[in-house]
């Protein structure tokens, strides 16, 4: 009698199962490939930042306007080529020239999750920065 330890209960052999698993992993890996450089620029701390567009080592940035102490969070978003679009500390939204955006001041408050930027998929030129109303906590 031939040993059946290389077959599962459905009768699929180990070779077939390995091919299916390999195809599945290859399909997943395509989704994991870099989609652009939208997250290559970070601003945080006291007017500090890091730019990963140049490769390794990343470039230090000292031109930010965020002034976040005690672990407050920030959010940054760039276009597909890595060019900064805007960033926020949850209280103010600054444009790529580090100026407050129109209606971008006093939008919320600093916290450890102070800024969340959600790209709007229907339009590459639109993003959302949801914030709770002031004095909700």
């Amino acid at each position: 009698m031939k040993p059946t330890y290389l077959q599962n209960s459905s009768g699929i052999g180990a070779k077939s199962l390995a091919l299916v698993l390999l195809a599945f992993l290859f399909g997943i890996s395509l989704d994991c490939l870099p989609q652009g450089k939208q997250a290559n620029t970070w601003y945080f701390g006291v007017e500090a930042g890091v730019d990963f567009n140049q490769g390794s080592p990343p470039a230090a940035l000292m031109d930010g306007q965020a002034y976040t102490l005690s672990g407050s969070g920030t959010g940054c978003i760039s276009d597909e080529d890595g060019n900064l679009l805007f960033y926020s500390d949850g209280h103010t939204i600054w444009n790529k020239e580090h100026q407050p955006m129109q209606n971008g001041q006093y939008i919320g408050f600093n916290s450890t999750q102070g800024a969340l930027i959600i790209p709007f998929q229907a339009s590459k030129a639109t993003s959302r920065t949801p914030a709770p109303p002031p004095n909700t906590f």
Side-chain angles (χ1 to χ4, degrees), residues 15-67:
K15 196 174 200 178
S16 298
L17 192 58
L19 287 174
V20 169
L21 182 62
L22 183 62
F24 176 74
L25 292 175
F26 181 72
I28 288 176
S29 68
L30 291 178
D31 285 340
C32 297
L33 291 174
Q35 301 296 314
K37 299 179 179 181
Q38 291 92 343
N40 277 11
T41 306
W42 300 359
Y43 281 99
F44 54 87
V46 180
E47 301 175 352
V50 179
D51 184 352
F52 292 95
N53 286 312
Q54 312 309 327
S56 181
L61 302 173
M62 301 304 292
D63 57 354
Q65 297 300 308
Y67 192 86

Side-chain angles (χ1 to χ4, degrees), residues 12-115:
I12 297 175
K15 196 174 200 178
S16 298
L17 192 58
L19 287 174
V20 169
L21 182 62
L22 183 62
F24 176 74
L25 292 175
F26 181 72
I28 288 176
S29 68
L30 291 178
D31 285 340
C32 297
L33 291 174
Q35 301 296 314
K37 299 179 179 181
Q38 291 92 343
N40 277 11
T41 306
W42 300 359
Y43 281 99
F44 54 87
V46 180
E47 301 175 352
V50 179
D51 184 352
F52 292 95
N53 286 312
Q54 312 309 327
S56 181
L61 302 173
M62 301 304 292
D63 57 354
Q65 297 300 308
Y67 192 86
T68 58
L69 296 175
S70 67
S72 295
T74 60
C76 305
I77 191 80
S78 300
D79 64 15
E80 291 177 352
D81 297 320
N83 301 310
L84 180 67
L85 296 174
F86 63 90
Y87 60 102
S88 176
D89 61 359
H91 187 265
T92 303
I93 302 174
W94 292 278
N95 63 18
K96 63 184 178 183
E97 281 134 20
H98 312 288
Q99 301 297 317
M101 294 179 74
Q102 181 179 5
N103 298 322
Q105 292 182 293
Y106 311 109
I107 60 168
F109 51 89
N110 296 349
S111 70
T112 55
Q113 296 295 320

